């Protein structure tokens, strides 16, 4: 008697990996909950710093259930990562003035206003301090700056196309050169940079770019 063939198992679809907490962009009521929680998290960071950020306290401030916050974000670092992602998305778009110097002055002015804001300046100091000792917060902060630098890169590319800057200029490095001294001033002095500092940062970055400092190796 011939044995009947054993049917092969039917394979279902491979389950997708679950997204990291805080990375799914919700809509409707869930979006309102997310906005309230992120606003509360930003308030705690600005008022008390990263060390005092607690999911239960954030839930209380946002007037949402603790289980909702724990289920969606999972950890303090997950919450900070989502907060930085939201801040990058909500930042003002670049300004185009018709010249690379004018554009980068606008960029410097935007950075200065952000750092001079009592809430935003304190928030950034807290996150930068946390990023120095927490890997996930550091990665989230790097992603934040990647998004913001990429937003302003076309201004430098247009400056190269107009002949204001030499061919081969690395546009991202020029944009970073504008904001770097402003953040340095905030972190080393504790005071937000003034308008004059923002002007000098933009002018120094453009002068260096014109001199070929940011031209990559051929």
């Amino acid at each position: 008697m011939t044995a009947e063939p054993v049917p092969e198992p039917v394979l279902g679809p491979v389950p997708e990996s679950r997204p990291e907490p805080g990375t799914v962009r919700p809509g409707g009521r869930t979006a309102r909950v997310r906005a309230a929680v992120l606003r509360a998290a930003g308030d705690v960071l600005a008022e008390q710093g990263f060390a005092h950020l607690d999911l239960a306290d954030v839930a209380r401030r946002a007037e949402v259930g603790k289980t909702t916050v724990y289920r969606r974000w999972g950890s303090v670092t997950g919450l900070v990562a989502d907060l930085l992602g939201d801040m990058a998305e909500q930042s003002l778009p670049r300004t185009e003035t018709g010249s690379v110097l004018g554009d980068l002055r606008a960029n410097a002015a935007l950075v200065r206003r952000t750092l001079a804001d009592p809430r935003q300046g304190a928030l950034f100091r807290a996150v930068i301090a946390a990023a120095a000792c927490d890997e996930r917060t550091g990665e989230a902060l790097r992603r934040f700056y990647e998004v913001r630098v990429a937003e302003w890169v076309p201004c430098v590319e247009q400056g190269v196309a107009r002949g204001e800057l030499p061919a081969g200029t690395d546009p991202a490095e020029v944009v970073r050169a504008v904001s770097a001294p402003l953040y340095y001033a905030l972190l080393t002095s504790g005071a937000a940079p003034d308008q004059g500092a923002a002007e000098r940062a933009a002018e120094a970055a453009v002068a260096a770019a014109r001199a070929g400092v940011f031209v990559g190796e051929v």
Side-chain angles (χ1 to χ4, degrees):
M1 183 174 180
T2 305
E4 295 183 2
V6 178
E8 295 184 3
V10 178
L11 299 178
V14 177
E16 297 181 0
S17 58
R18 296 184 63 185
E20 201 172 351
T23 59
V24 177
R25 297 295 180 261
R29 179 180 179 281
T30 306
R32 293 192 293 274
V33 168
R34 175 176 179 256
V37 170
L38 294 185
R39 184 167 55 251
D43 289 343
V44 175
L45 284 169
E47 295 166 9
Q48 303 178 32
F50 183 83
H52 295 280
L53 189 61
D54 175 77
L55 294 187
D57 181 41
V58 169
R60 179 187 59 78
R61 287 174 177 245
E63 299 182 343
V64 302
K66 287 191 296 184
T67 56
T68 298
V69 175
Y70 280 97
R71 182 174 63 249
R72 173 166 175 75
W73 286 277
S75 66
V76 164
T77 51
L79 182 55
V80 171
D82 195 21
L83 174 63
L84 287 169
D86 183 69
M87 289 169 59
E89 293 174 0
Q90 300 302 322
S91 294
L92 293 175
R94 67 179 177 274
T95 299
E96 296 185 5
T97 65
S99 75
V100 69
L101 179 57
D103 292 353
L104 294 183
R105 279 175 172 164
N107 174 259
L110 176 60
V111 173
R112 189 200 71 79
R113 286 198 303 272
T114 299
L115 299 183
D117 182 86
R119 181 179 185 275
Q120 293 291 86
L123 193 158
F124 271 109
R125 282 195 296 270
V127 172
I128 291 170
C133 55
D134 181 82
E135 183 177 352
R136 187 175 180 189
T137 303
E139 179 57 33
L141 187 62
R142 285 188 290 274
R143 287 198 301 269
F144 170 85
Y145 286 118
E146 285 172 1
V147 171
R148 295 310 301 145
V149 168
E151 170 69 21
W152 287 84
V153 155
C155 293
V156 181
E157 293 174 336
Q158 291 163 10
V160 173
R162 288 190 297 261
E164 297 176 82
L165 302 177
T169 295
D170 185 328
E173 287 300 308
V174 177
V175 175
R176 293 188 188 100
V178 175
S179 59
L182 304 180
Y183 278 96
Y184 181 79
L186 176 73
L187 295 175
T188 57
S189 70
D194 58 20
Q195 183 176 347
E199 290 279 336
R200 290 191 296 273
E203 291 168 3
V206 171
R210 286 172 175 162
V213 170
F214 301 111
V215 174
E217 295 182 5
V218 179

